[in-house]
Amino acid sequence: MRKHNRVTAYIHMDAIEQNFRVMRENLRDGVRMMAVIKTDGYGHGAVPIARMLEDHDYIWGYAVAAVSEARALREAGIAKPILVLGYTFAEDYAWMAEHGVRPTIFTVEMAREFGLAAAGVSVVSADASDSPVPGVEKRQFPVHLAVDTGMSRIGIADTREGLNTALSIAETDSVFIEGVFTHFARADEKDKSAARAQAARFCAFCDQLEEAGVCGFLRHCSNSAGILELPEANMDLVRAGITIYGIYPSDEMDRETNRLCPVMELKSHVVYCKKIPAGTPVSYGGTFVSGHEMEVATIPVGYGDGYPRSLSNKGSVLIHGKRAKILGRVCMDQMMVDVTGMDVKVLDEVTLMGKDGADEITVDELGGLSGRFPYEFVCDIGKRVPRVYCDM
């Protein structure tokens, strides 16, 4: 394996397996999981993760945010169902129908446009035509209905008008409702009352659909927080997102009961060492000036790699298991750290995120110091940072 001296994101695949084991302990028998691998697997790599999960029976399929992400998965040979959680455009509908990619539907117009496009598809994937829903005819294509129960983002309202819209969608030619879902807005809070209220509204709406004759669909509303702490909301499917990657949805979550393993470590190497006298400014703008003679190491990582400039004069890295504070502003491609008295040499390993000896720099720490949400932090690790897939 090539050794990437500049900067590398190590993705620990066995940690992903462990995180799924933790989540599955909260699910009753028969509940299947949808792996949310949007934004290139939250920066971890959607295709390698999907390939690892393809032969797992408990994985129903995958969720992405855009058709382009679904295309990348299909082009890589990923065969399980894919749901696009966000808005999809009519020009993509024929391709989606052909390749078993489910759109999220929340208007009658979307359903009709998808149905018309699907009806003209000449090559029908086995996945699209062989429905698990009793009574669904061949040449009908699966869609998932979004219901807004409190997120105010996308979805049909859980009202009489919304029910009528859903019934019209169910009657659309070439389309059948394979799944109905909602999304929690506050399941990651210690107080679960808001999430429970959403779940109750969702269940009531689904019951009304069934009473009106729309039957056999998959119900799903639990996100990562719901999987861990709201067992009553774990229905036919659950959508595992940030917890796949060993990151807790918020700092209000119980971390003792459900112990997740961080999946990504970010490593680099020292490329230069020097001594500077007292009174020497470091980096752009001279925002740090040495108060005494210091030893400074240069690390070839910066905000061009997704390492936040807002960690300037705040963050630290680990070298030889010890903290080395960032000096001055983080540059686009480099930064400087204080290694005074640490006996650091060129090409010594640097841990920007992860463990070194007894110490660890977590994504929560980096997020808190930089003002970035942990989800945002890992998603923003740039494409020029190679991902190396390995075990811990």
Side-chain angles (χ1 to χ4, degrees), residues 98-161:
E98 181 179 350
H99 291 87
V101 175
R102 283 76 164 148
T104 290
I105 298 293
F106 44 90
T107 69
V108 175
E109 291 74 19
M110 291 176 72
R112 288 174 179 165
E113 288 181 335
F114 184 75
L116 286 171
V121 169
S122 57
V123 179
V124 182
S125 72
D127 180 47
S129 59
D130 295 336
S131 167
V133 179
V136 170
E137 301 175 359
K138 298 283 185 178
R139 302 285 302 174
Q140 285 187 292
F141 294 80
V143 303
H144 285 232
L145 186 69
V147 182
D148 180 15
T149 59
M151 185 71 174
S152 298
R153 191 163 61 181
I154 58 173
I156 294 167
D158 60 327
T159 61
R160 171 55 61 179
E161 182 180 358

Side-chain angles (χ1 to χ4, degrees), residues 272-320:
Y272 188 56
C273 296
K274 66 186 296 184
K275 288 185 178 180
I276 61 172
T280 302
V282 178
S283 196
Y284 290 113
T287 60
F288 176 85
V289 179
S290 59
H292 52 81
E293 183 179 87
M294 301 178 69
E295 297 171 63
V296 177
T298 300
I299 315 299
V301 180
Y303 60 81
D305 303 294
Y307 191 84
R309 188 174 184 268
S310 53
L311 287 174
S312 301
N313 290 309
K314 292 181 183 178
S316 59
V317 301
L318 294 173
I319 306 176
H320 301 169

Side-chain angles (χ1 to χ4, degrees), residues 192-262:
K192 296 289 190 283
S193 57
R196 288 194 173 96
Q198 279 193 259
R201 289 171 61 179
F202 175 70
C203 288
F205 187 84
C206 289
D207 290 346
Q208 292 174 46
L209 268 179
E210 291 185 333
E211 290 167 6
V214 181
C215 300
F217 53 81
L218 300 167
R219 301 186 185 200
H220 53 106
C221 66
S222 267
N223 54 6
S224 290
I227 292 169
L228 296 183
E229 296 189 351
L230 207 62
E232 64 267 36
N234 298 335
M235 300 178 187
D236 301 307
L237 293 175
V238 294
R239 301 187 304 274
I242 196 65
T243 43
I244 295 174
Y245 313 101
I247 299 172
Y248 291 89
S250 80
D251 57 10
E252 295 185 41
M253 301 287 295
D254 176 6
R255 301 186 182 215
E256 294 301 318
T257 304
N258 299 288
R259 290 185 173 272
L260 303 175
C261 295

